[in-house]
């Protein structure tokens, strides 16, 4: 948590420290990120950083919080635009498309996401993943619970397992289309423009088969429509 001294800083000075820290951690992660470089780029003494934050890990967690809030604001705007009240797995498909596109268009957020995912320091990784997971769950859990309330999910659907799978899929889709070597199985190592969208639909098809109420899954609706025509 930032200190009281941090809260008393002017907005420009706080913004300079955040920008410098985001650039350094995005480029080098926590373990190799340099406080000397951050201080120099922000135009502050290195000792001042320890007046603003308890230690390097505290600064890293704060930068993760700032970045997570930025991504969350964008995604919540998109959620409202996409209408989360429609059938859950149709909505989820569009939401994951938007998620992939966001990280294509925001390389710094993608780099920060990669730094958090690949961090070798266990304590630092736990700290930042806790921040990211909190934001994920605060957004995803109400969507999943609403879907269950509408009857989009099977009555015996394990909601916690669905959420856990989404917590794995989201970071993967943020990085795999843009970082070679993460997913050679689904064709993301030899990327074509349409490949991320195809991968999204394969993931959603598996989730739908496991969790959707049979007559609420996209495949079943298509079959039912064909039988009626």
């Amino acid at each position: 948590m930032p200190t009281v001294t941090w809260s008393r800083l002017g907005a420009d000075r706080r913004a300079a420290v955040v920008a410098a820290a985001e650039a350094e951690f995005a480029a080098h992660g926590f373990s190799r990120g340099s406080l000397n470089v951050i201080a120099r780029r922000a135009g502050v003494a290195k000792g001042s950083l320890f007046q603003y934050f308890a230690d390097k890990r505290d600064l890293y967690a704060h930068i993760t919080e700032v970045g997570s809030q930025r991504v969350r604001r964008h995604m919540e705007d998109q959620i409202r635009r996409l209408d989360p009240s429609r059938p859950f797995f149709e909505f989820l498909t569009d939401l994951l498309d938007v998620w992939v596109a966001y990280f294509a268009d925001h390389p710094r957020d993608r780099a920060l996401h990669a730094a958090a995912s690949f961090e070798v320091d266990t304590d630092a990784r736990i700290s930042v993943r806790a921040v990211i997971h909190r934001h994920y769950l605060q957004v995803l859990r109400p969507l999943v619970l609403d879907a269950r309330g509408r009857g989009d999910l099977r009555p015996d659907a394990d909601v916690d397992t669905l959420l856990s799978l989404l917590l794995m899929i989201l970071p993967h889709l943020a990085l795999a289309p843009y970082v070679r070597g993460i997913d050679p199985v689904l064709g993301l190592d030899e990327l074509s423009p349409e490949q991320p969208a195809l991968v999204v639909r394969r993931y959603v098809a598996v989730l739908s088969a496991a969790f959707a109420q049979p007559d609420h899954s996209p495949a079943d609706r298509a079959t039912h429509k064909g039988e009626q025509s």
Side-chain angles (χ1 to χ4, degrees), residues 17-228:
V17 171
V18 167
E22 282 193 338
E24 182 66 5
F25 289 137
H28 302 293
F30 170 80
S31 298
R32 294 190 298 118
S34 169
L35 292 181
N36 288 323
V37 171
I38 293 171
R40 183 172 68 250
R41 288 178 175 170
V44 302
K46 181 180 177 181
S48 296
L49 295 178
F50 294 105
Q51 296 177 359
Y52 307 152
F53 301 93
D55 52 26
K56 182 181 178 183
R57 193 172 70 197
D58 192 34
L59 171 59
Y60 189 36
H62 178 69
I63 294 306
T64 304
E65 174 70 29
V66 171
S68 295
Q69 288 178 354
R70 182 168 57 236
V71 176
R72 178 173 176 171
R73 284 194 297 270
H74 174 81
M75 294 307 298
E76 287 182 327
D77 286 343
Q78 295 300 309
I79 286 169
R80 287 189 287 270
R81 183 180 66 81
L82 293 173
D83 183 11
S85 66
R86 53 194 181 99
F88 178 71
F89 291 100
E90 292 180 6
F91 162 77
L92 181 63
T93 300
D94 291 341
L95 184 65
L96 293 179
D97 283 341
V98 169
W99 176 260
V100 172
Y102 179 87
F103 286 97
D105 296 336
H106 296 81
R108 177 166 292 183
D109 283 329
R110 185 171 73 239
L112 288 168
H113 218 66
S117 298
F118 303 144
E119 177 54 51
V120 296
D121 182 285
T122 300
D123 289 339
R125 186 175 63 252
I126 290 172
S127 295
V128 298
R129 295 305 300 176
V131 171
I132 294 169
H133 285 159
R134 172 168 50 82
H135 284 285
Y136 280 172
L137 290 172
Q138 286 175 350
V139 173
L140 292 172
R141 193 182 297 277
L143 296 174
V144 171
L145 292 179
D146 285 349
R148 183 175 66 180
R150 290 194 305 270
D152 289 352
L153 304 184
R154 294 168 48 161
D156 61 346
D158 186 336
V159 169
D160 287 341
T161 297
L162 175 55
L163 287 168
S164 179
L165 289 169
L166 290 172
L167 288 186
M168 290 186 277
I169 290 170
L170 284 167
H172 189 71
L173 288 174
L175 300 177
Y178 317 108
V179 182
R180 289 182 60 84
I182 293 182
D183 188 347
V185 175
L186 295 181
L188 292 176
D189 255 5
E190 298 179 1
L191 193 61
S192 61
E194 67 276 6
Q195 193 63 24
L198 295 174
V199 170
V200 163
R201 280 145 187 80
R202 290 179 71 175
Y203 277 132
V204 173
V206 170
L207 293 175
S208 177
F211 296 100
Q213 182 80 288
D215 59 352
H216 283 243
S217 70
D220 285 323
R221 276 196 301 276
T223 300
H224 182 64
K225 184 177 179 180
E227 290 173 348
Q228 288 182 323

